[in-house]
Amino acid sequence: MPYTNVAFNPQFWKTLVKKPKFSTEDIPDLTGKVVIVTGANSGLGYATTVALASHGAHVFLACRSKDKALEAIERAKGEIRGSGSVRASSFPINATTASVPITTTTTITTSAPSSPTAGKPTAAMLAAAKYLKDKDGNPVEPKLEFLQLDLNDMNSCSRAAKEFLAKGLALHILINNGGIMTSPFALSADGIEQQFAVNHMGHFVFTMGLLDRIIQSQPSRIVMLSSIGHEHTPKHGIDFLTLNDRSASNPASRYGRSKLANILFGKALARRLANEKVWVNMPHPGFVYTELARNNKDSMGVVAAGVYDLAGRMCASKPEVGCLNQLYLATSPEVVEKDLRGLYFVPVGNELRPSSYALDEELQEKLWTFSEQLMHEKVKEI
């Protein structure tokens, strides 16, 4: 039965009432750090990008659409510098309690003057005032770049990794954030069930292509965004023989299978990097209202999609809150201090036991072998 692991796990229920132990104010100075965020033009990926770039990181937005990525870059620059049309909800902070002053060259405007937070500096603005400076203390632009990446196509993922490597940069943080959810049955460019292909195989190929550089750049981190949905899978968790069998799964269980794969891959990778200063972990972002649910009407029906949409509007977190768990794993000194490796986390920064399938080391290795073989079969040049 789906979700029995969390339903009967008191540790999970305790996390729902615990005070979050991490916020964007806890992100350290990231000046000199290079980061890649997949699916960075919207939702959790965009919010993550804004937070990292405002703390000095050089962030690559790895996205399929160049136009959407470039628009996101301009929007992020506006939010970080507080110029132009800025969402007042972006990492809000009460300016009267903030310890970092806004520089005189920074202007704070908003397109929603009636908002309770209108006119107040956001956390991104405050971080920029502290970290985005040259050696003379003058404000500098956030470092944001586009990297072409189509997770639906393994060859595109391989090319994206090579394109980044050709830049000769270190890679300190890789956040595998991009993905799709509960989409109608379809096959990827490589003939693989699409949710599994995008959410797992694309990231597997991309990560493996970058792995040597990540190891060379240590201390470094890899964050594999998973979901509590990993507990709702077809029979056996992942049956590789029926992966493309439409009748053996439904949109929700196919999504769960792909999110299970994220944890399995993360654990297998963490095991292989046990002697390196590379920390691999897998967060669940919580119930977050983003564009990820855009396929619900086609896959779940109008009524179910409407209920989900209503619940999202009423109860879900905004991306600026939902991204905190992955930001914790990507930046918190606690990850290194406590040597947190190959673990699953629920918001914010709370380790939790995942499903029994996720803990199955034999399944972890079976997925690794399957993914490696599929990569060598489909990718033209590795």
Side-chain angles (χ1 to χ4, degrees):
M1 180 179 176
Y3 304 111
T4 53
N5 178 58
V6 292
F8 301 106
N9 186 344
Q11 292 302 116
F12 170 73
W13 296 106
K14 288 179 182 178
T15 66
L16 299 182
V17 295
K18 286 176 66 175
K19 182 180 178 181
K21 65 178 183 179
F22 184 85
S23 74
T24 53
E25 294 175 83
D26 298 312
I27 298 174
D29 184 1
L30 299 177
T31 303
K33 300 296 185 182
V34 181
V35 184
I36 296 178
V37 181
T38 69
N41 63 278
S42 65
L44 293 171
Y46 176 78
T48 299
T49 296
V50 171
L52 295 171
S54 66
H55 284 77
H58 183 176
V59 184
F60 284 82
L61 292 79
C63 307
R64 180 170 56 88
S65 170
K66 183 176 182 179
D67 289 343
K68 289 183 179 179
L70 294 180
E71 187 277 330
I73 287 174
E74 291 309 308
R75 183 159 33 101
K77 287 180 178 179
E79 291 196 27
I80 292 169
R81 279 297 173 208
S83 58
S85 177
V86 179
R87 292 181 301 166
S89 62
S90 298
F91 308 110
I93 279 188
N94 188 329
T96 61
T97 61
S99 59
V100 183
I102 293 293
T103 62
T104 55
T105 57
T106 302
T107 59
I108 304 169
T109 61
T110 176
S111 58
S114 61
S115 166
T117 57
K120 295 179 181 179
T122 64
M125 297 177 196
L126 294 170
K130 183 176 182 180
Y131 299 113
L132 294 183
K133 297 178 180 180
D134 62 20
K135 62 181 181 179
D136 296 319
N138 299 311
V140 297
E141 282 291 298
K143 293 182 179 180
L144 297 161
E145 287 192 50
F146 166 64
L147 181 67
Q148 181 79 55
L149 173 71
D150 183 356
L151 291 168
N152 191 53
D153 182 341
M154 283 189 262
N155 281 282
S156 170
C157 298
S158 179
R159 287 193 299 270
K162 290 177 182 177
E163 182 182 339
F164 176 82
L165 294 178
K167 297 177 183 293
L169 296 171
L171 180 54
H172 304 100
I173 304 170
L174 171 62
I175 303 180
N176 288 329
N177 164 88
I180 56 176
M181 182 179 81
T182 62
S183 55
F185 183 86
L187 298 180
S188 71
D190 303 292
I192 308 300
E193 189 278 309
Q194 195 172 49
Q195 291 193 74
F196 184 85
V198 171
N199 295 348
H200 168 63
M201 281 307 308
H203 282 126
F204 181 88
V205 173
F206 189 52
T207 302
M208 296 306 290
L210 296 168
L211 191 57
D212 285 347
R213 182 63 53 84
I214 293 171
I215 294 172
Q216 292 165 7
S217 307
Q218 59 184 288
S220 48
R221 306 189 193 189
I222 301 174
V223 179
M224 306 274 195
L225 185 62
S226 185
S227 167
I228 198 172
H230 83 274
E231 299 203 14
H232 180 31
T233 66
K235 192 176 181 181
H236 307 305
I238 301 178
D239 183 349
F240 299 96
L241 297 178
T242 62
L243 200 60
N244 284 357
D245 185 348
R246 185 178 197 156
S247 64
S249 59
N250 58 55
S253 67
R254 287 192 289 271
Y255 175 70
R257 176 172 62 193
S258 71
K259 294 289 99 180
L260 170 62
N262 295 148
I263 299 180
L264 294 170
F265 174 35
K267 284 185 169 294
L269 182 57
R271 193 158 49 247
R272 286 162 170 78
L273 297 173
N275 295 322
E276 306 288 351
K277 293 182 180 179
V278 181
W279 288 268
V280 184
N281 288 291
M282 299 75 67
H284 161 57
F287 184 23
V288 188
Y289 193 65
T290 71
E291 294 180 5
L292 199 63
R294 61 185 176 273
N295 295 305
N296 281 357
K297 187 179 293 184
D298 293 332
S299 60
M300 298 167 59
V302 176
V303 175
V307 172
Y308 185 96
D309 185 66
L310 180 62
R313 293 178 186 277
M314 294 178 63
C315 307
S317 300
K318 293 181 179 180
E320 293 81 13
V321 175
C323 71
L324 290 176
N325 212 23
Q326 58 203 58
L327 285 170
Y328 166 76
L329 294 174
T331 68
S332 175
E334 193 171 84
V335 172
V336 176
E337 292 165 2
K338 294 185 176 181
D339 198 26
L340 303 175
R341 297 172 180 267
L343 302 174
Y344 172 65
F345 289 81
V346 296
V348 173
N350 296 299
E351 182 193 344
L352 192 73
R353 183 190 72 241
S355 72
S356 57
Y357 287 139
L359 295 172
D360 185 341
E361 191 168 322
E362 183 178 348
L363 186 58
Q364 294 165 17
E365 292 303 315
K366 191 173 182 180
L367 175 66
W368 183 282
T369 300
F370 174 86
S371 303
E372 205 167 44
Q373 291 175 346
L374 191 60
M375 176 177 68
H376 284 287
E377 175 188 333
K378 299 293 184 179
V379 178
K380 294 174 183 177
E381 293 183 12
I382 299 177

